[in-house]
Structure formats: C-alpha cells, structure tokens
Amino acid sequence: MSVVQRLNRPQTYRQVATLCNNTRVRRAATTTQKKEGDISDSFASLSGLEFKPLEPRFADLKAQLIYGKHDQVRASWERLLASLREEVSIIADLGPRVIPEIDFQDIDRPSEQFNREYRKRGVAIVRGAIPEGEALQLKEDIRMYIRNNPQTKAFPQDNPQVYELYWSPSQIRARGHPNLLKTQKFLMSFWHSKDPHALVSVKHPTTYADRLRMRMPGDSKFALGPHIDGGGPERWEPEGYGRGKVYDRIFQGEWERYDPWESSCRLPVKMDLYQGAGACSMFRMAQGWLSMSETGPFEGTLLVNPLLSRATAYFLLRPFFSPIKAAPDPSADRFSSDFLASDNWKLNEEPDSWLHGASPGMGQELRSHLHPHLELHKTMTHVPTVRPGDYVAWHCDTIHAVDSIHAGNSDSSVLYIPACPLTEFNAHGLANARNSFIKGIPSPDFPGGVGESNHIGRPKVEDVAAMTDDLGLQSFGLKEWDSSEPGLTPGERTMLDMSNKILGFYP
C-alpha cells in the first residue's frame, strides 16, 4: 500500500507529511543538514584549495595496506603500466567511438559486443531513453520553475550553470519515468553478487536526488576536471572502502583479479567519513544524466576515462610509487616515454602521507602531473553527440570531467540521475531523502539551507502519484515493496522486507 493510498481522499499535504514523519520513519531519517553551499564546496579544485600531503596517519595506513606484499605490488605495477600503454593507444585512436551505445528499444536484447564493451569501458549511452519531446518539455518547465523562484541558488552566482535544485517538477517526473527506471534496472543488471544472500537488489531501483545543469555557451567557470565521486581518502581507509575489502586485490598485487562489478563487497562501505558537502552516502552503481539538449564534444559536455579497472588500479597504487628521475617540468600535462618507463619508478620504502588528488570531505581528483601514466590528455574522451532524451551512464569508479569551456552555440542541459540499487544503506538514504522532500530542503548529501521549501510550484507527495507508476512510487519510498513477487533471491526477499521496515510501512 502506498502512502497516498493510506489516506482517505481528498488527501491533504499536511496529512501525508504527518504520515511520512511518524515515529518509525523518523528513526531512519535522522541525518542533520550540512552547511549551506554549492557544488564548488565538493571539490578542492573548484574551492581553490591545493592538493597536499595529508595528516601523518595516512603514511602508516599506506604501509599497512601493502605490508608483506612489496614484491607483488611492484610486479603488478609494471604489468599495469604495460597494459596502460596499450589501452591508451587504443582509446586515443578511437576517441568517442570507444563508448558503447544502445537504443532504448534494444535493452531487452543487448548485443554481446555492447555487453562486453560496457563491462570493459564502464560507460555507455542509452539512446532515446525518453522521447525527445518530453525531454525538451522538462527543460522548459525547469526554466519556468527558476523564473518563478529567483531566489534559487546556483554556481557560479553571477552566471548560473549548476542549480541547487532537487525537487522541481521536472526532476520528480524524470526520476519516476517508467523508461528511465527500466534503463536503470538494465544498467544495474551488469553487476553481480558472489553471495546469493547479499542484501542487495538491482531489480528495485531507489531514487537519489541530485542537481541539474543548464550550462550556457562561453561558460568557463564550471570547469570541473577529471574526478571520481564517492569519496576521497575513503578508498584507502579501513573504515571506508576497506570495510568491504573492495580493492584488496589491487593492494595485494593482483589488480587483474579485481572485479569492479561485484556488488556484495560494496554494501558495508562508508563513502562519506568526513561529511563533506556533496559526499555521497548511497551506493550508486552507475552515475548518469538525462540529456535535455543536443550537445556535442567541446560544447560543455561530459568527458570520461574508459579505462575503468586499469584506471582504478592506477590511481590507488600511484601514492606508493615515485619517479627515480624527476620530470624537467613536474607541473606539465604530458611527459616523455623515459619518464613514464617502469624502470624510472620505484616503490617507496618509507611511505609518505600523499594520496594524490584525495582531500578529506572532497571528491577524488586526478591531474596529469599527479597521475602521469593515465595520459589524461589522450584518455579523457568526449561522449558522442547526445540529443534530448538520451541517457549517459558511467560506473561509480569511472573518472569523468566536463569541458573546461563551453564552445558551443546553445545550452548544455542535463538532469543528474544515477542508478541506485536497493540496499540497507540506500533504504536509510531513501528515508532521509523522503524526509527532505517533504520539507523541501536540499537532498541530504548536499549543502543544506532552506532549499526549495518556499519555492512556488514545488511538488507535494500527492503530486508524485500523478507523475509515475507503482515502481516509481516504490523507488521514491512512497509505496511498500512486494517481497512475495516471484523470482527473488533470498537476499532480495530479505532486503525488501527490511526496506519496508526502514521506510515505516510496517513495524
């Protein structure tokens, strides 16, 4: 039964809000707001901070991670550099063609080539995820919402490109669109769990409320360079990704055996140890956005690094190695083959506290002078031209960036909508997000404040029911899951029951 169905019609917003804030639900919705801000607070580079060594404890942490494995790690580093040289050449030759694509109408029968390339590259485009006309209407409705609410926060303040909006009618409608939910289920199906009892379901997407971008021609301030969301130092920390031993194969010198698509190891992970602005508390199997404009390379669009497992292994191992002979210009964005050669790199006998590009409370950033072997000038690849209604998705460990300058002639507009499975952490995150939605305040992972609480035209709970179907209501936490549906694994069935309790549908 849904929240809306529990009430006698006609429903009132006050009645719905009261139900959603009952005692059982509040137990799962106790996250305090983060300080006010915008997207620049999530990244050191946008905040004007410099990358620097971290506190001394990180040197001890690094020593512990590879203790007794020095020979294996050194040998794996050499294999990794050799593999990177091959892959960099392939990506440079193919350019945007390296990114696999599929039409929405074909996701029930994807080709083996698509499956293979998506698993390897970690990025894909689903063409026509929603009809083009609907996508264009979403954009027009957003413009009206902003016009009616000039107090809306955005970055940069003097020429807005990224808006601190989470609950606009267009965002609600898009997140609950049946086609987009089906697309999310399709993309999450590439993940697997080695444990059939793992408390995770890729068949039941959960809503994650993120921002939107409407980038105008000529903009150069939203120049977000190569980065990875989902934490910074947490990827090396025992109480972060170490809780699930996600990257143990890499730290043991066996990067080839690391499986980026195994889900059970990520369930206990804590990605937000420092409560940073924008630090993500939910497990997003795929980050993604829905295009609301026709946008090509260099037109304010996305760049991705389609190396996935190799890039992950590299940026995790990079802090353990140093060049024997320094580069003539350490701040350069490209380096000689002699500098990059494996025999010019040594495993540090005495670890330092550097975690290159990682800053507590910020996203992981990558730079050519910090991560030279990734040859970012060659491997950061534009996504092909997208049209309104196309959905672009990338694995949660994929390095991505945006054009430093929007050199196009029209807007580059997207709704950020990731694909999140149903897990215990995500159910708690959904309860918190539902509470924020009721109040109209920013999504829990993002900078706080009054948000849209006073915005004209902000949807209420009862409006959601008119915008989506049962799966959409479930993904919003507004309708209970059916744990008796056929074909569930033991873990999925348990997860549905647990989520219903977390969301307050029954004790």
Side-chain angles (χ1 to χ4, degrees):
M1 181 180 296
S2 72
V3 168
V4 173
Q5 288 171 330
R6 287 185 175 204
L7 301 170
N8 295 322
R9 295 184 181 275
Q11 302 91 1
T12 68
Y13 171 63
R14 185 178 301 276
Q15 286 176 306
V16 177
T18 299
L19 179 60
C20 284
N21 282 291
N22 67 25
T23 302
R24 293 197 305 273
V25 173
R26 285 202 309 272
R27 284 202 298 265
T30 56
T31 299
T32 57
Q33 271 199 308
K34 297 178 180 180
K35 67 178 183 179
E36 291 191 56
D38 55 41
I39 193 171
S40 66
D41 298 304
S42 302
F43 298 95
S45 58
L46 290 182
S47 302
L49 302 177
E50 294 183 358
F51 300 116
K52 59 185 180 181
L54 306 183
E55 55 188 286
R57 69 180 178 89
F58 285 98
D60 296 332
L61 183 153
K62 287 165 63 177
Q64 294 166 9
L65 280 173
I66 64 170
Y67 180 77
K69 299 287 185 180
H70 286 203
D71 291 342
Q72 295 94 319
V73 170
R74 171 68 209 193
S76 77
W77 173 258
E78 294 184 359
R79 298 193 306 273
L80 177 59
L81 296 191
S83 182
L84 282 173
R85 284 192 293 271
E86 295 179 4
E87 287 295 323
V88 166
S89 178
I90 293 171
I91 292 170
D93 287 343
L94 290 175
R97 290 177 296 149
V98 77
I99 297 172
E101 303 181 17
I102 188 171
D103 289 335
F104 173 76
Q105 62 186 8
D106 295 328
I107 63 176
D108 289 327
R109 49 185 185 283
S111 68
E112 282 303 314
Q113 180 181 4
F114 175 87
N115 293 346
R116 181 175 61 252
E117 289 301 305
Y118 180 48
R119 287 191 179 97
K120 180 177 182 179
R121 300 302 174 192
V123 60
I125 299 177
V126 179
R127 298 291 188 183
I130 72 170
E132 184 170 323
E134 291 186 36
L136 291 172
Q137 187 61 51
L138 292 175
K139 182 169 63 174
E140 184 54 40
D141 290 346
I142 288 168
R143 287 172 170 161
M144 181 177 296
Y145 188 66
I146 294 171
R147 284 196 298 269
N148 291 338
N149 297 283
Q151 74 274 28
T152 299
K153 282 194 167 188
F155 173 85
Q157 294 182 13
D158 60 343
N159 185 22
Q161 311 293 322
V162 180
Y163 291 85
E164 294 296 314
L165 291 175
Y166 305 91
W167 313 118
S168 70
S170 291
Q171 288 166 298
I172 299 297
R173 189 174 296 111
R175 291 171 194 149
H177 197 292
N179 288 14
L180 208 57
L181 292 169
K182 183 176 180 178
T183 298
Q184 292 172 339
K185 291 169 66 175
F186 165 66
L187 294 167
M188 292 193 294
S189 71
F190 286 82
W191 287 73
H192 63 93
S193 173
K194 60 187 178 184
D195 178 7
H197 296 276
L199 299 180
V200 58
S201 175
V202 300
K203 303 171 186 173
H204 303 91
T206 55
T207 293
Y208 184 82
D210 206 332
R211 303 177 174 97
L212 63 88
R213 180 186 84 215
M214 299 184 75
R215 197 176 184 196
M216 297 296 114
D219 173 66
S220 61
K221 289 190 176 181
F222 183 51
L224 184 52
H227 67 282
I228 310 166
D229 297 303
E234 288 90 343
R235 283 187 165 84
W236 289 267
E237 296 197 66
E239 290 304 311
Y241 283 74
R243 289 168 59 93
K245 305 183 186 301
V246 176
Y247 304 120
D248 274 16
R249 290 291 190 188
I250 294 172
F251 295 128
Q252 292 168 358
E254 301 176 310
W255 67 265
E256 297 94 337
R257 298 183 65 187
Y258 161 64
D259 182 359
W261 301 96
E262 206 288 313
S263 61
S264 64
C265 65
R266 297 188 183 241
L267 301 184
V269 165
K270 288 188 176 181
M271 297 174 284
D272 58 343
L273 293 177
Y274 303 95
Q275 286 296 296
C280 185
S281 62
M282 287 179 67
F283 176 20
R284 297 178 290 184
M285 286 183 164
Q287 293 179 248
W289 48 245
L290 177 69
S291 175
M292 299 184 294
S293 57
E294 182 174 355
T295 308
F298 303 105
E299 296 178 346
T301 192
L302 177 75
L303 296 92
V304 293
N305 188 296
L307 287 166
L308 191 52
S309 61
R310 291 166 178 80
T312 302
Y314 179 80
F315 84 79
L316 289 171
L317 292 177
R318 170 65 180 92
F320 297 91
F321 291 86
S322 298
I324 297 171
K325 184 178 180 180
D329 179 5
S331 64
D333 64 356
R334 57 196 69 189
F335 300 90
S336 69
S337 57
D338 288 341
F339 174 77
L340 298 176
S342 62
D343 59 9
N344 187 48
W345 290 76
K346 61 181 176 65
L347 181 67
N348 299 325
E349 293 185 8
E350 293 294 331
D352 56 30
S353 61
W354 266 103
L355 291 178
H356 299 67
S359 304
M362 304 280 185
Q364 170 70 42
E365 300 195 56
L366 297 99
R367 296 292 181 270
S368 295
H369 68 282
L370 297 177
H371 306 92
H373 297 92
L374 290 180
E375 299 193 69
L376 296 171
H377 64 285
K378 295 181 180 178
T379 58
M380 292 306 297
T381 305
H382 280 103
V383 298
T385 298
V386 294
R387 295 189 59 80
D390 290 344
Y391 183 74
V392 179
W394 57 97
H395 186 282
C396 54
D397 284 347
T398 293
I399 302 167
H400 55 290
V402 296
D403 277 321
S404 58
I405 298 175
H406 181 345
N409 298 314
S410 60
D411 64 279
S412 173
S413 301
V414 304
L415 299 177
Y416 295 108
I417 304 176
C420 302
L422 186 62
T423 70
E424 182 177 0
F425 277 177
N426 285 5
H428 282 287
L430 186 59
N432 285 323
R434 184 177 63 183
N435 190 47
S436 296
F437 167 62
I438 295 291
K439 298 176 180 178
I441 60 177
S443 183
D445 280 346
F446 297 88
V450 298
E452 297 159 76
S453 58
N454 298 316
H455 273 42
I456 298 169
R458 175 173 59 86
K460 307 299 189 290
V461 172
E462 56 265 37
D463 298 322
V464 179
M467 296 181 179
T468 187
D469 57 14
D470 283 351
L471 181 59
L473 288 172
Q474 289 167 333
S475 72
F476 277 96
L478 298 176
K479 179 180 174 63
E480 65 187 83
W481 305 99
D482 180 10
S483 60
S484 66
E485 68 178 81
L488 297 176
T489 67
E492 290 169 342
R493 196 176 308 280
T494 301
M495 189 65 254
L496 293 183
D497 284 333
M498 181 182 296
S499 296
N500 284 333
K501 292 180 181 179
I502 291 170
L503 292 164
F505 289 112
Y506 51 79

